[in-house]
Amino acid sequence: MLDADSLIGGFSSPVFDAQTVFRAVMDGMARPGSRQTIGLGLQPPALFGLAQAAIALTLCDVDTPVWLSTGLAKGAVPNWLSFHTGAVTVPQKADAHFAFFEGGSSLPAFGQFSGGTQDYPDRSATLVYELPSLDGGDVLVLTGPGDVLEPEAGVMAIGSGGNYALAAARALLDTDKDAETIVRRSLDI
């Protein structure tokens, strides 16, 4: 049974809002790690992040089985999604086209979700996990559709001279010199 919370909080202008979100999602996929802003007046149910809700409203429909993490599945999210998108929630991860996780929840093994096939990679599940921020934490390089590269020994370099800078940085790893001295010395290598 639907409650009042399931009926409110969607896009105020569904066509135009979905177009705006779709452009932001495509831009984010083309530029991994870039900050995308979704300034719409959504009011999703508790634990369902604003970006997650916008993505769900834009990309899910009656033909999109959705898996929800435990926290999201217990709340108003299943009915909210059903009312606003027609999407149905499924209990098995392998059956989902999209999976949504509340912030702070642990991610299950990716192998539990559909990985698509060599001939049909588009049949893989899309996992949506909203991060509070991209600031702080470990340094990572995000490339392509979801590739995450971790630096070796805490050192990385990107750009046209990246390989040279990386080699210089690695050569200076085991030193007791301060950062400025290391940078000046690496410029000479």
Side-chain angles (χ1 to χ4, degrees):
M1 183 171 118
L2 292 176
D3 57 13
D5 289 340
S6 300
L7 305 176
I8 60 172
F11 286 147
S12 60
S13 179
V15 172
F16 295 117
D17 292 348
Q19 289 173 347
T20 299
V21 172
F22 186 78
R23 280 191 300 272
V25 168
M26 292 297 102
D27 192 45
M29 293 297 287
R31 295 172 187 83
S34 64
R35 194 175 304 260
Q36 301 298 319
T37 303
I38 299 175
L40 305 171
L42 289 175
Q43 296 175 340
L47 302 178
F48 206 34
L50 291 173
Q52 288 178 313
I55 289 169
L57 292 178
T58 301
L59 300 178
C60 297
D61 61 20
V62 69
D63 295 321
T64 311
V66 173
W67 181 87
L68 300 170
S69 63
T70 304
L72 294 178
K74 288 181 181 177
V77 175
N79 286 339
W80 189 85
L81 274 176
S82 177
F83 176 77
H84 290 284
T85 69
V88 296
T89 56
V90 293
Q92 300 300 319
K93 297 175 186 83
D95 296 334
H97 291 182
F98 279 83
F100 294 91
F101 304 84
E102 75 269 13
S105 65
S106 59
L107 293 172
F110 293 152
Q112 295 177 6
F113 296 94
S114 173
T117 66
Q118 189 74 1
D119 293 333
Y120 299 100
D122 59 314
R123 294 184 183 166
S124 64
T126 299
L127 281 58
V128 182
Y129 188 95
E130 189 169 341
L131 298 172
S133 172
L134 291 176
D135 298 328
D138 294 333
V139 175
L140 301 171
V141 175
L142 305 174
T143 65
D147 297 332
V148 179
L149 308 174
E150 294 185 52
E152 292 180 30
V155 177
M156 74 166 145
I158 59 173
S160 60
N163 289 337
Y164 297 108
L166 185 59
R170 285 183 179 155
L172 295 168
L173 263 179
D174 296 320
T175 182
D176 57 355
K177 295 178 174 37
D178 62 274
E180 182 180 351
T181 304
I182 292 172
V183 170
R184 291 187 186 282
R185 175 72 180 108
S186 68
L187 293 173
D188 293 333
I189 293 179

